[in-house]
Structure formats: structure tokens, C-alpha cells
């Protein structure tokens, strides 16, 4: 039996004319080790997806590069035909090589093929949201996105994509994309320790555009991790709960997509993100991102 999305932490946010829960689910961890191959427990992976929807989550993040193809195929097997309220956000712009790397695939013909494969594996005629993944595995890389983004705009005009976004992007690339066509979301690495997108997040909030942080506990220095653990211990909560709750309270346009391959962990994430942080607690957590980096 489905739980009302109103019971999920954070409420909802619009992606263009679509409405999604601010607490979503990221499907990357459903693939095998290093996001390659099938999961060790296929039935468990399907159960996580079904539980996410039953909890009221209406935002699932994926990419056909995960596996590759595996997570999208699992999503289709578990959830198709999709509930009307459920919206799937995917990414194009990178593929996988035999060594498990993420080489870019942003030529127009590569993007057209990627959109088609996403449609086939998800069992859809139109993709709700497609993010253009930029940069590389180390993070954003400066440079024009015009040719690649214009290719996606053309596919949008053909009715294959409903809304567009960008991922792993610089602020300049976000602005360049917006000069070409409207976007509904930006997906970048951001957490308590990595606050480089603070200004961008606030600008997007003023425009009603979602910001979707990756890796809510990624890249912490030992000092920063110790500070987070100390706050979590005092609140009798886990570090991940505190980190997720801080993101939800940071600004209403932040959408969460924590991933897991465990039903129990999914439920813990949902419950933990509902932690209420005091103004004093938020102020203390804000200091973590201003700690000097570890050598």
C-alpha cells in the first residue's frame, strides 16, 4: 500500500510542469560493483525500487550508463507500467568502457542514440527529464556545452524529451544552457564539506529551478567527518541523517536522491532525512564547509 508523499521529508518541488517529492531515490547503486554488471541480488534490487514508490517517492534518478543498461532495465521490470505521479530523471553524455571508466559521449549522434536507448530500456515514449552530463569523473570541466545541449533541444522539440537539465556543470555552463533553452534542474556534487555551489543554488532557487546534490557524504576530510560525527552523536542520529536533513533545510529547491541497494537502508534514509535541525545546529554544521582542507 502506497504511503502518501506528504509524509516524506521535505514535501515537493516542481520540475517544470511536473511535481516530484524532494526526497527521491538514486538508482546507481542497483548495478553491480563499481556500477558495472548486474546486482548480486536481483530480487533485492527490484524490492528496493518497489519500496521507494510505495513510500511515496515520485522522483527516481538514473542513467543508462549505469551497468550499463542494468538500472534502467531493473526500473522497467519493477515499476512498469509507471504510476502517473512517478517521474524518472535520466542522464546522457557519458558511457562506460571496458575498464569501468566514464568516457564522454556528447557528440550529437551519441546523444541521439543515448536518448533512444534510455527510451527503450525504460519502456517510455518520452523521457520526463534528461540531464546533459558534462565534465569528467573528477568534476566539472570548463568549456562550451552548446553543440551537445542544442542536440538535446532538438530531441525535445521532437517530443522525445519533456524537460532538460545539466549535470556536473560549472555556473557558466548552467548560464550558457539557459541562454539556449529552459532547464528545470542542475545536478552537481554538493554537501556539507563541498559548498562551492552555494551562490549557484541561491540563484537557482530565485528562478524556481531545482538543485540536485550528488554524494551527500562524499569527499569529507577526516577533520570534517569528525565534526559531523560529533554533531550527529549529540543529536543521537547518524551522520548520513544529519547530512541529508541539513541539505533539505538548506533551501527548498534542493532535491535529494540518496541511493541504496537495501530496503532497510532506504527506510532509514527516509526517516533520517526528517530530522529537524535547530538554527544553532545548522549554524554549527555550516562551519564544516569552511574548515581548511586536509593536507
Amino acid at each position: 500500500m502506497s504511503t502518501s508523499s506528504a509524509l516524506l521529508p521535505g514535501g515537493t518541488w516542481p520540475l517544470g510542469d511536473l511535481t516530484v517529492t524532494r526526497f527521491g531515490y538514486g538508482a546507481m547503486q542497483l548495478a553491480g560493483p563499481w556500477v558495472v554488471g548486474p546486482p548480486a541480488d536481483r530480487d533485492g534490487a527490484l524490492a528496493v525500487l518497489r519500496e521507494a514508490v510505495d513510500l511515496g517517492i515520485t522522483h527516481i534518478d538514473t542513467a543508462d550508463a549505469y551497468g550499463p543498461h542494468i538500472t534502467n532495465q531493473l526500473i522497467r521490470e519493477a515499476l512498469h507500467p509507471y504510476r502517473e505521479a512517478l517521474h524518472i530523471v535520466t542522464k546522457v553524455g557519458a558511457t562506460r568502457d571496458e575498464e569501468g571508466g566514464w568516457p564522454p559521449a556528447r557528440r550529437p549522434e551519441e546523444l541521439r542514440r543515448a536518448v533512444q536507448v534510455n527510451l527503450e530500456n525504460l519502456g517510455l515514449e518520452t523521457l520526463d527529464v534528461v540531464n546533459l552530463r558534462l565534465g569528467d569523473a573528477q568534476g566539472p570541466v570548463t568549456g562550451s556545452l552548446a553543440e551537445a545541449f542544442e542536440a538535446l533541444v532538438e530531441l525535445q522539440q521532437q517530443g522525445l524529451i519533456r524537460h532538460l537539465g545539466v549535470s556536473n556543470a560549472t555556473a557558466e555552463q548552467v548560464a550558457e544552457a539557459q541562454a539556449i533553452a529552459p532547464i528545470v534542474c542542475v545536478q552537481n556534487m554538493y554537501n556539507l564539506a563541498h559548498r562551492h555551489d552555494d551562490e549557484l543554488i541561491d540563484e537557482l532557487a530565485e528562478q524556481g529551478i531545482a538543485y540536485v546534490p550528488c554524494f551527500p557524504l562524499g569527499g569529507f576530510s577526516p577533520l570534517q567527518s569528525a565534526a559531523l560525527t560529533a554533531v550527529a552523536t549529540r543529536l543521537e542520529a547518524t551522520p548520513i541523517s544529519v547530512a541529508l536533513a541539513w541539505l533539505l533545510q538548506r533551501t527548498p529547491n534542493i532535491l535529494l536522491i540518496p541511493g541504496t541497494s537495501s530496503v532497510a537502508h532506504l527506510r532509514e534514509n527516509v526517516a533520517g532525512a526528517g530530522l529537524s535541525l535547530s538554527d544553532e545546529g545548522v549554524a554549527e554544521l555550516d562551519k564544516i564547509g569552511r574548515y581548511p582542507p586536509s593536507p
Side-chain angles (χ1 to χ4, degrees):
M1 182 177 179
S2 176
T3 299
S4 170
S5 60
L7 300 179
L8 289 169
T12 61
W13 185 264
L15 294 177
D17 61 346
L18 309 175
T19 299
V20 299
T21 51
R22 290 184 63 209
F23 191 99
Y25 173 72
M28 185 172 71
Q29 292 188 32
L30 294 184
W34 306 105
V35 203
V36 176
D41 180 1
R42 185 179 184 86
D43 289 342
L46 297 172
V48 169
L49 287 163
R50 291 168 180 145
E51 179 68 10
V53 172
D54 284 344
L55 287 170
I57 289 171
T58 63
H59 173 200
I60 292 180
D61 179 84
T62 186
D64 207 70
Y66 299 162
H69 314 306
I70 298 297
T71 61
N72 281 357
Q73 292 168 354
L74 289 169
I75 289 169
R76 180 175 184 172
E77 181 177 347
L79 303 176
H80 193 278
Y82 304 111
R83 299 181 187 183
E84 184 177 355
L86 180 64
H87 301 297
I88 299 171
V89 177
T90 191
K91 288 179 287 296
V92 295
T95 186
R96 305 306 303 276
D97 58 27
E98 293 181 358
E99 290 73 40
W102 301 82
R106 294 192 285 269
R107 295 194 300 271
E109 62 272 20
E110 292 174 318
L111 295 171
R112 286 191 288 269
R113 176 58 183 160
V115 166
Q116 191 59 47
V117 173
N118 271 276
L119 288 166
E120 292 169 0
N121 283 327
L122 289 168
L124 292 169
E125 295 183 355
T126 301
L127 299 171
D128 282 334
V129 183
V130 173
N131 285 319
L132 173 62
R133 186 185 188 277
L134 301 162
D136 56 28
Q138 282 67 53
V141 175
T142 59
S144 176
L145 54 65
E147 182 182 32
F149 197 70
E150 287 168 356
L152 292 183
V153 171
E154 183 179 342
L155 294 171
Q156 183 183 39
Q157 293 169 345
Q158 294 172 9
L160 301 180
I161 301 171
R162 194 164 184 172
H163 297 295
L164 296 170
V166 291
S167 173
N168 206 27
T170 66
E172 292 74 20
Q173 288 167 335
V174 172
E176 184 183 15
Q178 290 180 293
I180 297 170
I183 63 172
V184 299
C185 56
V186 174
Q187 185 179 118
N188 280 356
M189 180 175 177
Y190 178 83
N191 55 43
L192 276 165
H194 290 264
R195 304 284 299 275
H196 53 283
D197 272 354
D198 271 336
E199 184 177 347
L200 175 62
I201 290 171
D202 293 338
E203 291 174 355
L204 294 173
E206 292 176 359
Q207 300 172 56
I209 296 172
Y211 184 93
V212 187
C214 306
F215 306 111
L217 277 182
F220 276 64
S221 72
L223 180 61
Q224 291 165 330
S225 181
L228 174 59
T229 299
V231 172
T233 300
R234 192 171 65 252
L235 294 174
E236 299 182 344
T238 65
I240 186 64
S241 295
V242 173
L244 293 175
W246 178 84
L247 285 167
L248 280 180
Q249 290 183 219
R250 164 68 176 79
T251 184
N253 67 317
I254 285 183
L255 310 183
L256 302 185
I257 51 168
T260 179
S261 58
S262 160
V263 168
H265 190 209
L266 172 65
R267 293 171 181 162
E268 289 172 4
N269 283 345
V270 172
L275 179 69
S276 180
L277 302 173
S278 66
D279 291 342
E280 293 78 10
V282 169
E284 183 174 356
L285 291 166
D286 282 345
K287 296 177 183 178
I288 291 175
R290 292 195 288 272
Y291 283 175
S294 59

